[in-house]
Amino acid sequence: MTQNNNLNTDSDVKFWARILSQSLASLNSILEKLGAIFPWIRHWLNRPIILPHYRFNWWHMGSTGDQKPAMQIVGYWYVTNPTDQPISILNVYIKKPRNQGHVSLKDVHSEYHGDYPIPPRATTDLHADFWICPPFCKEGKDFKADIIFVDQYGQKRILKNVEFKSDKKKRFIPIKLTEEAIYKLQNQIERKVAATLKDEISRYQKYGRQSGELGSIYALCQGRQIKSIYQDSWTSSKSGERQEILNDPQGATVQSENGDALVKLFKSFRDEKDGELFVQALLTRLSRDKEYYCVSYIIFYVLFRVGRLTNALSTAKISLSKKKNPPYMFWQRKAEDRLLEPYQRHGFSDLLGLINGMLRYEHRSFTDEELDSIEEFVNDLDEHTFKINEKINSIRSFRVSES
């Protein structure tokens, strides 16, 4: 009986799949015929797709050649050509008040911008600017407007309520964290530690959170280099299976050129005092108020490798947590984030991301006691802790299955 039910189910699925396929084919045939009779339908369906850019649109007050006030308005978008033929954006204008603008597209094969066509199935940057005299908005005010782009077929693509921010709005100056001059450091161990951390800051600025990376940190897994180690992903094809950690972690390691260089330096010390000085040099730089805040992850990485996980966790909880001043503590309100430079805003979060990634790829490196310490560490944090608790539970379960 069960077998017959399965056969019926398979037949039903194939039947409805065939019906859907025939319906789509009929719809495409109808659209092609309508497009042949009414070309504007085909053009309307094939309009370019325009989406907001990561850069924000802005405007500022300028002046014309005869010193009359004029607005310069600049907008940025991504544009995609969904067709099999090149598309050109010939014209752009603001709907109200009606003002003509200039449109420029990035060549997909170079860094140049101009009146380049968009190749079939390609995406590129779209840039539009306007000069409007007399101005219709007061300086310092934001405004919204409908922007209309026109392609070579005369078809219009209307973007409604596009926001343009004034560049004269009051902006907060980011806090500058305490920077350290290496030439002032007398001890050679501290100089080497600080120099390596500063190099990591440079790498993080280029390859940091904005690209899903952690500076020089990466994982090696089955001969493949993985840069975004703190990000989790699951696949439905493995639903019900263990996906929080690697089931076969043999040969999988987390590595860092800068971090491993510092670990090698620590192992070269013959004097225990030098080792302690090295550890203290890292712990004192694990601070929310110093320039090394953005690379707290690499400090944690080194301290873990040299067997000082407990010191790293206890210092991080005190020195990286958001500080609460008396008014906020009195009212039991959450501490406010400070305004830092973009690359300096996620130091504590990236440290937690590193722990998350190391638990995933290298969970055999952690003892049971260290797992307990990490669980206690993340227990009452205000920060997002990724999937650290889930991974710890998965690791413990994994070890039970191996015992």
Side-chain angles (χ1 to χ4, degrees):
M1 187 69 179
T2 303
Q3 185 176 6
N4 290 335
N5 287 339
N6 289 338
L7 289 174
N8 291 336
T9 302
D10 292 341
S11 300
D12 290 344
V13 170
K14 292 178 181 178
F15 171 76
W16 287 111
R18 185 166 63 253
I19 293 297
L20 178 61
S21 177
Q22 292 173 352
S23 300
L24 291 175
S26 299
L27 178 61
N28 288 331
S29 176
I30 292 172
L31 290 175
E32 288 178 2
K33 291 178 181 179
L34 287 174
I37 300 173
F38 305 105
W40 65 268
I41 295 180
R42 183 175 66 252
H43 296 156
W44 186 86
L45 292 172
N46 291 337
R47 293 178 305 164
I49 301 168
I50 302 176
L51 297 174
H53 202 276
Y54 78 92
R55 301 176 66 179
F56 67 87
N57 305 322
W58 57 271
W59 79 273
H60 80 98
M61 192 70 74
S63 59
T64 62
D66 54 0
Q67 301 305 308
K68 292 182 179 179
M71 298 174 66
Q72 182 184 13
I73 303 171
V74 179
Y76 305 92
W77 295 270
Y78 296 110
V79 58
T80 299
N81 177 2
T83 74
D84 296 324
Q85 300 295 325
I87 287 180
S88 295
I89 306 296
L90 304 181
N91 192 11
V92 62
Y93 60 90
I94 296 176
K95 185 176 181 180
K96 185 178 181 180
R98 177 68 177 256
N99 280 280
Q100 192 73 29
H102 174 74
V103 64
S104 177
L105 290 107
K106 181 182 176 297
D107 179 20
V108 297
H109 303 297
S110 71
E111 295 301 315
Y112 296 107
H113 292 72
D115 55 352
Y116 295 99
I118 312 166
R121 312 296 180 186
T123 299
T124 189
D125 291 351
L126 172 63
H127 165 229
D129 66 272
F130 309 82
W131 277 97
I132 300 175
C133 181
F136 61 82
C137 186
K138 290 183 178 180
E139 190 170 19
K141 298 284 187 180
D142 300 339
F143 73 90
K144 294 181 180 180
D146 294 346
I147 308 297
I148 301 175
F149 294 93
V150 184
D151 63 21
Q152 74 266 39
Y153 302 110
Q155 298 302 310
K156 297 177 181 179
R157 188 72 170 85
I158 303 175
L159 306 181
K160 293 184 176 294
N161 293 320
V162 177
E163 185 175 23
F164 295 89
K165 296 183 177 293
S166 170
D167 66 343
K168 292 299 183 182
K169 291 186 71 173
K170 182 179 179 181
R171 301 186 186 279
F172 294 99
I173 300 175
I175 297 171
K176 191 173 182 64
L177 298 180
T178 304
E179 295 186 359
E180 187 172 42
I182 295 180
Y183 73 89
K184 293 182 180 180
L185 298 175
Q186 300 298 317
N187 186 276
Q188 288 299 315
I189 293 176
E190 278 199 294
R191 289 173 66 93
K192 291 176 181 179
V193 168
T196 307
L197 294 180
K198 282 179 178 287
D199 180 66
E200 185 68 20
I201 292 173
S202 298
R203 296 195 186 195
Y204 181 81
Q205 285 183 279
K206 298 174 185 175
Y207 311 108
R209 197 180 185 94
Q210 74 277 5
S211 57
E213 302 180 32
L214 290 178
S216 65
I217 293 283
Y218 63 93
L220 278 179
C221 182
Q222 299 177 350
R224 185 164 60 98
Q225 187 180 100
I226 302 167
K227 292 291 290 182
S228 301
I229 73 162
Y230 67 86
Q231 296 178 331
D232 290 305
S233 62
W234 288 265
T235 172
S236 58
S237 63
K238 295 183 179 180
S239 59
E241 299 181 25
R242 190 189 309 280
Q243 298 190 57
E244 287 79 10
I245 61 174
L246 295 185
N247 283 317
D248 183 18
Q250 298 295 336
T253 60
V254 176
Q255 300 182 17
S256 161
E257 183 180 354
N258 282 331
D260 294 337
L262 288 176
V263 173
K264 183 178 179 181
L265 174 64
F266 174 83
K267 292 181 177 179
S268 70
F269 298 140
R270 296 183 179 180
D271 190 336
E272 187 176 338
K273 291 182 179 179
D274 289 340
E276 286 302 316
L277 178 60
F278 174 87
V279 170
Q280 288 304 313
L282 289 170
L283 290 174
T284 56
R285 289 166 176 81
L286 191 62
S287 170
R288 192 174 173 83
D289 298 318
K290 296 183 179 180
E291 63 178 310
Y292 308 109
Y293 176 59
C294 65
V295 293
S296 298
Y297 63 88
I298 203 73
I299 297 176
F300 176 89
Y301 174 88
V302 176
L303 290 170
F304 170 70
R305 292 294 192 209
V306 301
R308 296 301 187 94
L309 173 70
T310 304
N311 298 110
L313 293 177
S314 58
T315 302
K317 196 148 197 175
I318 296 171
S319 301
L320 299 186
S321 295
K322 298 170 185 176
K323 293 181 172 56
K324 300 181 179 181
N325 53 32
Y328 288 119
M329 294 178 68
F330 180 80
W331 294 105
Q332 296 183 342
R333 291 177 57 184
K334 185 178 178 180
E336 298 290 340
D337 279 327
R338 300 170 302 167
L339 184 66
L340 300 174
E341 294 287 354
Y343 75 92
Q344 283 283 13
R345 293 176 184 173
H346 307 288
F348 197 8
S349 179
D350 285 339
L351 183 149
L352 294 168
L354 173 72
I355 296 175
N356 188 66
M358 292 191 72
L359 290 173
R360 176 179 178 82
Y361 292 101
E362 208 177 305
H363 53 85
R364 288 189 186 276
S365 299
F366 294 84
T367 66
D368 290 340
E369 292 74 18
E370 288 173 335
L371 293 180
D372 290 344
S373 297
I374 293 172
E375 183 181 20
E376 181 182 6
F377 171 67
V378 302
N379 186 46
D380 59 350
L381 293 180
D382 288 336
E383 293 281 345
H384 169 63
T385 57
F386 297 88
K387 299 293 180 179
I388 289 177
N389 282 322
E390 288 90 333
K391 286 182 173 59
I392 291 175
N393 291 330
S394 189
I395 293 168
R396 288 170 176 159
S397 175
F398 179 80
R399 292 179 181 181
V400 170
S401 66
E402 283 194 322
S403 62

